[in-house]
Amino acid sequence: MTTAAEQLHPPVLEPGDYTKYKIILGILGAVVPLLVAVLYFFPQTFRIPGAQVRLLPAINAGLNSLTAIFLLAGFYFIRRKDVLRHRAMMGIAFGLGSLFLLSYVAYHSQADSTHFGGVGAIRTVYFLLLLTHISLAVVTVALVLFTLYFALTGQYTKHKTIARWTFPVWLYVSVTGVIVYFMIVPYYPAS
């Protein structure tokens, strides 16, 4: 029996056994945070001599800002039951988030980490934001992938259930990524 939502907005993927997709998504949800950890703990591993990446942090902040805007737009449209516009906004947010992730990995594979130079209360605020940002970013990849998976396969009840967690976490990670960027940008190397 199909629901009204399924009749109005059929799944993007044809019905079938999606076990292999769930396995791939689970692997991606684990591998991406591990890759970022490798880049953090072994920064010279993928270094390409002469690679120019100095503009990528600003681009990343822009991508995060745009992701947050499209997430909010997607939320706005689904609250008004405009599923087609919701799908479009969330698709754009997913694309922007994917570009961000590629750019982030490219930057951190080539550049040393920048250390925050602030002192006092602002240092505490920075590290609390950074800690919550990183902790939630680790789970965001899997949340986003499975939320998208449930939408694409027409499992709207599961999609709605997980989206209640994914949306605020993804939005928080996007917004705090921009805040952390603006807090640390004065400490980037001058070159």
Side-chain angles (χ1 to χ4, degrees), residues 11-35:
V12 176
L13 299 175
E14 293 297 320
D17 180 15
Y18 300 115
T19 303
K20 65 181 175 187
Y21 295 116
K22 284 192 249 184
I23 292 169
I24 292 168
L25 293 177
I27 291 169
L28 282 173
V31 168
V32 170
L34 285 174
L35 175 59

mmCIF file with all atom_site columns, all heavy atoms in Angstrom, residues 11-35:
data_model
loop_
_atom_site.group_PDB
_atom_site.id
_atom_site.type_symbol
_atom_site.label_atom_id
_atom_site.label_alt_id
_atom_site.label_comp_id
_atom_site.label_asym_id
_atom_site.label_entity_id
_atom_site.label_seq_id
_atom_site.pdbx_PDB_ins_code
_atom_site.Cartn_x
_atom_site.Cartn_y
_atom_site.Cartn_z
_atom_site.occupancy
_atom_site.B_iso_or_equiv
_atom_site.pdbx_formal_charge
_atom_site.auth_seq_id
_atom_site.auth_comp_id
_atom_site.auth_asym_id
_atom_site.auth_atom_id
_atom_site.pdbx_PDB_model_num
ATOM 1   N N   . PRO A 1 11 ? 9.540  7.490  -5.538  1.00 0.00 ? 11 PRO A N   1
ATOM 2   C CA  . PRO A 1 11 ? 10.971 7.452  -5.273  1.00 0.00 ? 11 PRO A CA  1
ATOM 3   C C   . PRO A 1 11 ? 11.770 7.672  -6.561  1.00 0.00 ? 11 PRO A C   1
ATOM 4   O O   . PRO A 1 11 ? 11.301 7.376  -7.660  1.00 0.00 ? 11 PRO A O   1
ATOM 5   C CB  . PRO A 1 11 ? 11.212 6.053  -4.705  1.00 0.00 ? 11 PRO A CB  1
ATOM 6   C CG  . PRO A 1 11 ? 10.009 5.266  -5.058  1.00 0.00 ? 11 PRO A CG  1
ATOM 7   C CD  . PRO A 1 11 ? 8.884  6.234  -5.263  1.00 0.00 ? 11 PRO A CD  1
ATOM 8   N N   . VAL A 1 12 ? 12.956 8.209  -6.397  1.00 0.00 ? 12 VAL A N   1
ATOM 9   C CA  . VAL A 1 12 ? 13.827 8.457  -7.543  1.00 0.00 ? 12 VAL A CA  1
ATOM 10  C C   . VAL A 1 12 ? 14.342 7.133  -8.097  1.00 0.00 ? 12 VAL A C   1
ATOM 11  O O   . VAL A 1 12 ? 14.444 6.958  -9.303  1.00 0.00 ? 12 VAL A O   1
ATOM 12  C CB  . VAL A 1 12 ? 15.001 9.384  -7.130  1.00 0.00 ? 12 VAL A CB  1
ATOM 13  C CG1 . VAL A 1 12 ? 15.974 9.573  -8.277  1.00 0.00 ? 12 VAL A CG1 1
ATOM 14  C CG2 . VAL A 1 12 ? 14.448 10.735 -6.666  1.00 0.00 ? 12 VAL A CG2 1
ATOM 15  N N   . LEU A 1 13 ? 14.661 6.204  -7.213  1.00 0.00 ? 13 LEU A N   1
ATOM 16  C CA  . LEU A 1 13 ? 15.152 4.891  -7.624  1.00 0.00 ? 13 LEU A CA  1
ATOM 17  C C   . LEU A 1 13 ? 13.988 3.907  -7.674  1.00 0.00 ? 13 LEU A C   1
ATOM 18  O O   . LEU A 1 13 ? 13.059 3.987  -6.882  1.00 0.00 ? 13 LEU A O   1
ATOM 19  C CB  . LEU A 1 13 ? 16.207 4.388  -6.639  1.00 0.00 ? 13 LEU A CB  1
ATOM 20  C CG  . LEU A 1 13 ? 17.459 5.260  -6.496  1.00 0.00 ? 13 LEU A CG  1
ATOM 21  C CD1 . LEU A 1 13 ? 18.356 4.703  -5.402  1.00 0.00 ? 13 LEU A CD1 1
ATOM 22  C CD2 . LEU A 1 13 ? 18.214 5.342  -7.810  1.00 0.00 ? 13 LEU A CD2 1
ATOM 23  N N   . GLU A 1 14 ? 14.054 3.009  -8.603  1.00 0.00 ? 14 GLU A N   1
ATOM 24  C CA  . GLU A 1 14 ? 13.022 1.979  -8.726  1.00 0.00 ? 14 GLU A CA  1
ATOM 25  C C   . GLU A 1 14 ? 13.078 1.052  -7.513  1.00 0.00 ? 14 GLU A C   1
ATOM 26  O O   . GLU A 1 14 ? 14.147 0.839  -6.944  1.00 0.00 ? 14 GLU A O   1
ATOM 27  C CB  . GLU A 1 14 ? 13.254 1.157  -10.005 1.00 0.00 ? 14 GLU A CB  1
ATOM 28  C CG  . GLU A 1 14 ? 13.041 1.960  -11.279 1.00 0.00 ? 14 GLU A CG  1
ATOM 29  C CD  . GLU A 1 14 ? 11.615 2.461  -11.431 1.00 0.00 ? 14 GLU A CD  1
ATOM 30  O OE1 . GLU A 1 14 ? 10.675 1.709  -11.102 1.00 0.00 ? 14 GLU A OE1 1
ATOM 31  O OE2 . GLU A 1 14 ? 11.440 3.614  -11.868 1.00 0.00 ? 14 GLU A OE2 1
ATOM 32  N N   . PRO A 1 15 ? 11.927 0.488  -7.114  1.00 0.00 ? 15 PRO A N   1
ATOM 33  C CA  . PRO A 1 15 ? 11.924 -0.448 -5.980  1.00 0.00 ? 15 PRO A CA  1
ATOM 34  C C   . PRO A 1 15 ? 12.854 -1.622 -6.243  1.00 0.00 ? 15 PRO A C   1
ATOM 35  O O   . PRO A 1 15 ? 13.021 -2.056 -7.379  1.00 0.00 ? 15 PRO A O   1
ATOM 36  C CB  . PRO A 1 15 ? 10.464 -0.914 -5.908  1.00 0.00 ? 15 PRO A CB  1
ATOM 37  C CG  . PRO A 1 15 ? 9.687  0.155  -6.601  1.00 0.00 ? 15 PRO A CG  1
ATOM 38  C CD  . PRO A 1 15 ? 10.597 0.713  -7.667  1.00 0.00 ? 15 PRO A CD  1
ATOM 39  N N   . GLY A 1 16 ? 13.478 -2.107 -5.198  1.00 0.00 ? 16 GLY A N   1
ATOM 40  C CA  . GLY A 1 16 ? 14.382 -3.232 -5.336  1.00 0.00 ? 16 GLY A CA  1
ATOM 41  C C   . GLY A 1 16 ? 15.152 -3.470 -4.059  1.00 0.00 ? 16 GLY A C   1
ATOM 42  O O   . GLY A 1 16 ? 14.871 -2.893 -3.014  1.00 0.00 ? 16 GLY A O   1
ATOM 43  N N   . ASP A 1 17 ? 16.152 -4.326 -4.168  1.00 0.00 ? 17 ASP A N   1
ATOM 44  C CA  . ASP A 1 17 ? 17.010 -4.638 -3.025  1.00 0.00 ? 17 ASP A CA  1
ATOM 45  C C   . ASP A 1 17 ? 18.185 -3.667 -3.038  1.00 0.00 ? 17 ASP A C   1
ATOM 46  O O   . ASP A 1 17 ? 19.016 -3.685 -3.949  1.00 0.00 ? 17 ASP A O   1
ATOM 47  C CB  . ASP A 1 17 ? 17.498 -6.085 -3.129  1.00 0.00 ? 17 ASP A CB  1
ATOM 48  C CG  . ASP A 1 17 ? 18.388 -6.465 -1.962  1.00 0.00 ? 17 ASP A CG  1
ATOM 49  O OD1 . ASP A 1 17 ? 18.397 -5.734 -0.947  1.00 0.00 ? 17 ASP A OD1 1
ATOM 50  O OD2 . ASP A 1 17 ? 19.077 -7.492 -2.064  1.00 0.00 ? 17 ASP A OD2 1
ATOM 51  N N   . TYR A 1 18 ? 18.250 -2.833 -2.028  1.00 0.00 ? 18 TYR A N   1
ATOM 52  C CA  . TYR A 1 18 ? 19.290 -1.795 -1.963  1.00 0.00 ? 18 TYR A CA  1
ATOM 53  C C   . TYR A 1 18 ? 20.383 -2.143 -0.964  1.00 0.00 ? 18 TYR A C   1
ATOM 54  O O   . TYR A 1 18 ? 21.117 -1.253 -0.519  1.00 0.00 ? 18 TYR A O   1
ATOM 55  C CB  . TYR A 1 18 ? 18.663 -0.448 -1.612  1.00 0.00 ? 18 TYR A CB  1
ATOM 56  C CG  . TYR A 1 18 ? 17.639 0.014  -2.615  1.00 0.00 ? 18 TYR A CG  1
ATOM 57  C CD1 . TYR A 1 18 ? 16.312 0.132  -2.265  1.00 0.00 ? 18 TYR A CD1 1
ATOM 58  C CD2 . TYR A 1 18 ? 18.018 0.322  -3.914  1.00 0.00 ? 18 TYR A CD2 1
ATOM 59  C CE1 . TYR A 1 18 ? 15.370 0.555  -3.182  1.00 0.00 ? 18 TYR A CE1 1
ATOM 60  C CE2 . TYR A 1 18 ? 17.084 0.738  -4.839  1.00 0.00 ? 18 TYR A CE2 1
ATOM 61  C CZ  . TYR A 1 18 ? 15.763 0.857  -4.464  1.00 0.00 ? 18 TYR A CZ  1
ATOM 62  O OH  . TYR A 1 18 ? 14.843 1.266  -5.384  1.00 0.00 ? 18 TYR A OH  1
ATOM 63  N N   . THR A 1 19 ? 20.538 -3.389 -0.618  1.00 0.00 ? 19 THR A N   1
ATOM 64  C CA  . THR A 1 19 ? 21.520 -3.795 0.380   1.00 0.00 ? 19 THR A CA  1
ATOM 65  C C   . THR A 1 19 ? 22.918 -3.335 0.003   1.00 0.00 ? 19 THR A C   1
ATOM 66  O O   . THR A 1 19 ? 23.650 -2.814 0.839   1.00 0.00 ? 19 THR A O   1
ATOM 67  C CB  . THR A 1 19 ? 21.499 -5.328 0.567   1.00 0.00 ? 19 THR A CB  1
ATOM 68  O OG1 . THR A 1 19 ? 20.177 -5.716 0.923   1.00 0.00 ? 19 THR A OG1 1
ATOM 69  C CG2 . THR A 1 19 ? 22.475 -5.761 1.634   1.00 0.00 ? 19 THR A CG2 1
ATOM 70  N N   . LYS A 1 20 ? 23.282 -3.492 -1.269  1.00 0.00 ? 20 LYS A N   1
ATOM 71  C CA  . LYS A 1 20 ? 24.641 -3.090 -1.681  1.00 0.00 ? 20 LYS A CA  1
ATOM 72  C C   . LYS A 1 20 ? 24.845 -1.588 -1.499  1.00 0.00 ? 20 LYS A C   1
ATOM 73  O O   . LYS A 1 20 ? 25.919 -1.146 -1.129  1.00 0.00 ? 20 LYS A O   1
ATOM 74  C CB  . LYS A 1 20 ? 24.932 -3.520 -3.114  1.00 0.00 ? 20 LYS A CB  1
ATOM 75  C CG  . LYS A 1 20 ? 24.086 -2.852 -4.172  1.00 0.00 ? 20 LYS A CG  1
ATOM 76  C CD  . LYS A 1 20 ? 24.427 -3.372 -5.568  1.00 0.00 ? 20 LYS A CD  1
ATOM 77  C CE  . LYS A 1 20 ? 23.472 -2.764 -6.580  1.00 0.00 ? 20 LYS A CE  1
ATOM 78  N NZ  . LYS A 1 20 ? 23.643 -3.343 -7.893  1.00 0.00 ? 20 LYS A NZ  1
ATOM 79  N N   . TYR A 1 21 ? 23.785 -0.785 -1.711  1.00 0.00 ? 21 TYR A N   1
ATOM 80  C CA  . TYR A 1 21 ? 23.902 0.662  -1.515  1.00 0.00 ? 21 TYR A CA  1
ATOM 81  C C   . TYR A 1 21 ? 24.077 0.998  -0.039  1.00 0.00 ? 21 TYR A C   1
ATOM 82  O O   . TYR A 1 21 ? 24.847 1.890  0.320   1.00 0.00 ? 21 TYR A O   1
ATOM 83  C CB  . TYR A 1 21 ? 22.685 1.397  -2.079  1.00 0.00 ? 21 TYR A CB  1
ATOM 84  C CG  . TYR A 1 21 ? 22.560 1.274  -3.572  1.00 0.00 ? 21 TYR A CG  1
ATOM 85  C CD1 . TYR A 1 21 ? 21.474 0.622  -4.139  1.00 0.00 ? 21 TYR A CD1 1
ATOM 86  C CD2 . TYR A 1 21 ? 23.540 1.796  -4.423  1.00 0.00 ? 21 TYR A CD2 1
ATOM 87  C CE1 . TYR A 1 21 ? 21.358 0.496  -5.520  1.00 0.00 ? 21 TYR A CE1 1
ATOM 88  C CE2 . TYR A 1 21 ? 23.435 1.670  -5.800  1.00 0.00 ? 21 TYR A CE2 1
ATOM 89  C CZ  . TYR A 1 21 ? 22.346 1.023  -6.344  1.00 0.00 ? 21 TYR A CZ  1
ATOM 90  O OH  . TYR A 1 21 ? 22.235 0.895  -7.703  1.00 0.00 ? 21 TYR A OH  1
ATOM 91  N N   . LYS A 1 22 ? 23.353 0.283  0.827   1.00 0.00 ? 22 LYS A N   1
ATOM 92  C CA  . LYS A 1 22 ? 23.497 0.518  2.265   1.00 0.00 ? 22 LYS A CA  1
ATOM 93  C C   . LYS A 1 22 ? 24.920 0.195  2.721   1.00 0.00 ? 22 LYS A C   1
ATOM 94  O O   . LYS A 1 22 ? 25.483 0.914  3.535   1.00 0.00 ? 22 LYS A O   1
ATOM 95  C CB  . LYS A 1 22 ? 22.495 -0.324 3.053   1.00 0.00 ? 22 LYS A CB  1
ATOM 96  C CG  . LYS A 1 22 ? 21.089 0.205  2.997   1.00 0.00 ? 22 LYS A CG  1
ATOM 97  C CD  . LYS A 1 22 ? 20.228 -0.489 4.032   1.00 0.00 ? 22 LYS A CD  1
ATOM 98  C CE  . LYS A 1 22 ? 19.228 -1.376 3.346   1.00 0.00 ? 22 LYS A CE  1
ATOM 99  N NZ  . LYS A 1 22 ? 18.283 -2.023 4.227   1.00 0.00 ? 22 LYS A NZ  1
ATOM 100 N N   . ILE A 1 23 ? 25.484 -0.869 2.175   1.00 0.00 ? 23 ILE A N   1
ATOM 101 C CA  . ILE A 1 23 ? 26.859 -1.243 2.530   1.00 0.00 ? 23 ILE A CA  1
ATOM 102 C C   . ILE A 1 23 ? 27.828 -0.154 2.067   1.00 0.00 ? 23 ILE A C   1
ATOM 103 O O   . ILE A 1 23 ? 28.707 0.271  2.819   1.00 0.00 ? 23 ILE A O   1
ATOM 104 C CB  . ILE A 1 23 ? 27.230 -2.622 1.930   1.00 0.00 ? 23 ILE A CB  1
ATOM 105 C CG1 . ILE A 1 23 ? 26.409 -3.716 2.613   1.00 0.00 ? 23 ILE A CG1 1
ATOM 106 C CG2 . ILE A 1 23 ? 28.727 -2.889 2.054   1.00 0.00 ? 23 ILE A CG2 1
ATOM 107 C CD1 . ILE A 1 23 ? 26.476 -5.069 1.938   1.00 0.00 ? 23 ILE A CD1 1
ATOM 108 N N   . ILE A 1 24 ? 27.654 0.309  0.831   1.00 0.00 ? 24 ILE A N   1
ATOM 109 C CA  . ILE A 1 24 ? 28.524 1.372  0.303   1.00 0.00 ? 24 ILE A CA  1
ATOM 110 C C   . ILE A 1 24 ? 28.396 2.638  1.149   1.00 0.00 ? 24 ILE A C   1
ATOM 111 O O   . ILE A 1 24 ? 29.402 3.270  1.503   1.00 0.00 ? 24 ILE A O   1
ATOM 112 C CB  . ILE A 1 24 ? 28.197 1.662  -1.176  1.00 0.00 ? 24 ILE A CB  1
ATOM 113 C CG1 . ILE A 1 24 ? 28.598 0.471  -2.053  1.00 0.00 ? 24 ILE A CG1 1
ATOM 114 C CG2 . ILE A 1 24 ? 28.881 2.945  -1.650  1.00 0.00 ? 24 ILE A CG2 1
ATOM 115 C CD1 . ILE A 1 24 ? 28.064 0.522  -3.475  1.00 0.00 ? 24 ILE A CD1 1
ATOM 116 N N   . LEU A 1 25 ? 27.167 3.019  1.492   1.00 0.00 ? 25 LEU A N   1
ATOM 117 C CA  . LEU A 1 25 ? 26.956 4.213  2.311   1.00 0.00 ? 25 LEU A CA  1
ATOM 118 C C   . LEU A 1 25 ? 27.571 4.052  3.688   1.00 0.00 ? 25 LEU A C   1
ATOM 119 O O   . LEU A 1 25 ? 28.163 4.993  4.222   1.00 0.00 ? 25 LEU A O   1
ATOM 120 C CB  . LEU A 1 25 ? 25.467 4.519  2.419   1.00 0.00 ? 25 LEU A CB  1
ATOM 121 C CG  . LEU A 1 25 ? 24.770 4.940  1.134   1.00 0.00 ? 25 LEU A CG  1
ATOM 122 C CD1 . LEU A 1 25 ? 23.285 5.141  1.377   1.00 0.00 ? 25 LEU A CD1 1
ATOM 123 C CD2 . LEU A 1 25 ? 25.396 6.180  0.545   1.00 0.00 ? 25 LEU A CD2 1
ATOM 124 N N   . GLY A 1 26 ? 27.438 2.884  4.279   1.00 0.00 ? 26 GLY A N   1
ATOM 125 C CA  . GLY A 1 26 ? 28.053 2.625  5.582   1.00 0.00 ? 26 GLY A CA  1
ATOM 126 C C   . GLY A 1 26 ? 29.562 2.743  5.523   1.00 0.00 ? 26 GLY A C   1
ATOM 127 O O   . GLY A 1 26 ? 30.190 3.324  6.412   1.00 0.00 ? 26 GLY A O   1
ATOM 128 N N   . ILE A 1 27 ? 30.144 2.189  4.448   1.00 0.00 ? 27 ILE A N   1
ATOM 129 C CA  . ILE A 1 27 ? 31.599 2.282  4.277   1.00 0.00 ? 27 ILE A CA  1
ATOM 130 C C   . ILE A 1 27 ? 32.022 3.735  4.097   1.00 0.00 ? 27 ILE A C   1
ATOM 131 O O   . ILE A 1 27 ? 32.977 4.202  4.739   1.00 0.00 ? 27 ILE A O   1
ATOM 132 C CB  . ILE A 1 27 ? 32.066 1.404  3.093   1.00 0.00 ? 27 ILE A CB  1
ATOM 133 C CG1 . ILE A 1 27 ? 31.911 -0.077 3.448   1.00 0.00 ? 27 ILE A CG1 1
ATOM 134 C CG2 . ILE A 1 27 ? 33.509 1.729  2.705   1.00 0.00 ? 27 ILE A CG2 1
ATOM 135 C CD1 . ILE A 1 27 ? 32.093 -1.034 2.283   1.00 0.00 ? 27 ILE A CD1 1
ATOM 136 N N   . LEU A 1 28 ? 31.313 4.479  3.233   1.00 0.00 ? 28 LEU A N   1
ATOM 137 C CA  . LEU A 1 28 ? 31.632 5.902  3.040   1.00 0.00 ? 28 LEU A CA  1
ATOM 138 C C   . LEU A 1 28 ? 31.481 6.694  4.337   1.00 0.00 ? 28 LEU A C   1
ATOM 139 O O   . LEU A 1 28 ? 32.305 7.567  4.637   1.00 0.00 ? 28 LEU A O   1
ATOM 140 C CB  . LEU A 1 28 ? 30.742 6.512  1.961   1.00 0.00 ? 28 LEU A CB  1
ATOM 141 C CG  . LEU A 1 28 ? 31.100 6.217  0.523   1.00 0.00 ? 28 LEU A CG  1
ATOM 142 C CD1 . LEU A 1 28 ? 30.011 6.744  -0.409  1.00 0.00 ? 28 LEU A CD1 1
ATOM 143 C CD2 . LEU A 1 28 ? 32.441 6.812  0.167   1.00 0.00 ? 28 LEU A CD2 1
ATOM 144 N N   . GLY A 1 29 ? 30.440 6.389  5.090   1.00 0.00 ? 29 GLY A N   1
ATOM 145 C CA  . GLY A 1 29 ? 30.202 7.079  6.352   1.00 0.00 ? 29 GLY A CA  1
ATOM 146 C C   . GLY A 1 29 ? 31.330 6.873  7.349   1.00 0.00 ? 29 GLY A C   1
ATOM 147 O O   . GLY A 1 29 ? 31.566 7.713  8.211   1.00 0.00 ? 29 GLY A O   1
ATOM 148 N N   . ALA A 1 30 ? 32.039 5.761  7.234   1.00 0.00 ? 30 ALA A N   1
ATOM 149 C CA  . ALA A 1 30 ? 33.182 5.488  8.113   1.00 0.00 ? 30 ALA A CA  1
ATOM 150 C C   . ALA A 1 30 ? 34.501 5.949  7.503   1.00 0.00 ? 30 ALA A C   1
ATOM 151 O O   . ALA A 1 30 ? 35.363 6.494  8.197   1.00 0.00 ? 30 ALA A O   1
ATOM 152 C CB  . ALA A 1 30 ? 33.245 3.989  8.420   1.00 0.00 ? 30 ALA A CB  1
ATOM 153 N N   . VAL A 1 31 ? 34.675 5.732  6.196   1.00 0.00 ? 31 VAL A N   1
ATOM 154 C CA  . VAL A 1 31 ? 35.956 6.022  5.541   1.00 0.00 ? 31 VAL A CA  1
ATOM 155 C C   . VAL A 1 31 ? 36.243 7.525  5.455   1.00 0.00 ? 31 VAL A C   1
ATOM 156 O O   . VAL A 1 31 ? 37.374 7.947  5.674   1.00 0.00 ? 31 VAL A O   1
ATOM 157 C CB  . VAL A 1 31 ? 36.011 5.369  4.138   1.00 0.00 ? 31 VAL A CB  1
ATOM 158 C CG1 . VAL A 1 31 ? 37.176 5.883  3.322   1.00 0.00 ? 31 VAL A CG1 1
ATOM 159 C CG2 . VAL A 1 31 ? 36.087 3.854  4.270   1.00 0.00 ? 31 VAL A CG2 1
ATOM 160 N N   . VAL A 1 32 ? 35.228 8.318  5.147   1.00 0.00 ? 32 VAL A N   1
ATOM 161 C CA  . VAL A 1 32 ? 35.466 9.761  4.991   1.00 0.00 ? 32 VAL A CA  1
ATOM 162 C C   . VAL A 1 32 ? 36.006 10.378 6.284   1.00 0.00 ? 32 VAL A C   1
ATOM 163 O O   . VAL A 1 32 ? 37.029 11.058 6.252   1.00 0.00 ? 32 VAL A O   1
ATOM 164 C CB  . VAL A 1 32 ? 34.198 10.478 4.472   1.00 0.00 ? 32 VAL A CB  1
ATOM 165 C CG1 . VAL A 1 32 ? 34.351 11.989 4.536   1.00 0.00 ? 32 VAL A CG1 1
ATOM 166 C CG2 . VAL A 1 32 ? 33.895 10.038 3.039   1.00 0.00 ? 32 VAL A CG2 1
ATOM 167 N N   . PRO A 1 33 ? 35.378 10.140 7.445   1.00 0.00 ? 33 PRO A N   1
ATOM 168 C CA  . PRO A 1 33 ? 35.978 10.687 8.675   1.00 0.00 ? 33 PRO A CA  1
ATOM 169 C C   . PRO A 1 33 ? 37.373 10.120 8.958   1.00 0.00 ? 33 PRO A C   1
ATOM 170 O O   . PRO A 1 33 ? 38.242 10.830 9.464   1.00 0.00 ? 33 PRO A O   1
ATOM 171 C CB  . PRO A 1 33 ? 34.990 10.285 9.770   1.00 0.00 ? 33 PRO A CB  1
ATOM 172 C CG  . PRO A 1 33 ? 33.695 10.106 9.066   1.00 0.00 ? 33 PRO A CG  1
ATOM 173 C CD  . PRO A 1 33 ? 34.057 9.578  7.706   1.00 0.00 ? 33 PRO A CD  1
ATOM 174 N N   . LEU A 1 34 ? 37.595 8.850  8.614   1.00 0.00 ? 34 LEU A N   1
ATOM 175 C CA  . LEU A 1 34 ? 38.928 8.265  8.807   1.00 0.00 ? 34 LEU A CA  1
ATOM 176 C C   . LEU A 1 34 ? 39.960 8.945  7.915   1.00 0.00 ? 34 LEU A C   1
ATOM 177 O O   . LEU A 1 34 ? 41.093 9.199  8.341   1.00 0.00 ? 34 LEU A O   1
ATOM 178 C CB  . LEU A 1 34 ? 38.908 6.761  8.550   1.00 0.00 ? 34 LEU A CB  1
ATOM 179 C CG  . LEU A 1 34 ? 38.273 5.909  9.634   1.00 0.00 ? 34 LEU A CG  1
ATOM 180 C CD1 . LEU A 1 34 ? 38.188 4.444  9.193   1.00 0.00 ? 34 LEU A CD1 1
ATOM 181 C CD2 . LEU A 1 34 ? 39.051 6.021  10.927  1.00 0.00 ? 34 LEU A CD2 1
ATOM 182 N N   . LEU A 1 35 ? 39.584 9.245  6.669   1.00 0.00 ? 35 LEU A N   1
ATOM 183 C CA  . LEU A 1 35 ? 40.494 9.944  5.757   1.00 0.00 ? 35 LEU A CA  1
ATOM 184 C C   . LEU A 1 35 ? 40.858 11.320 6.319   1.00 0.00 ? 35 LEU A C   1
ATOM 185 O O   . LEU A 1 35 ? 42.021 11.719 6.303   1.00 0.00 ? 35 LEU A O   1
ATOM 186 C CB  . LEU A 1 35 ? 39.874 10.090 4.373   1.00 0.00 ? 35 LEU A CB  1
ATOM 187 C CG  . LEU A 1 35 ? 40.673 10.900 3.350   1.00 0.00 ? 35 LEU A CG  1
ATOM 188 C CD1 . LEU A 1 35 ? 42.056 10.298 3.112   1.00 0.00 ? 35 LEU A CD1 1
ATOM 189 C CD2 . LEU A 1 35 ? 39.910 11.016 2.046   1.00 0.00 ? 35 LEU A CD2 1
#
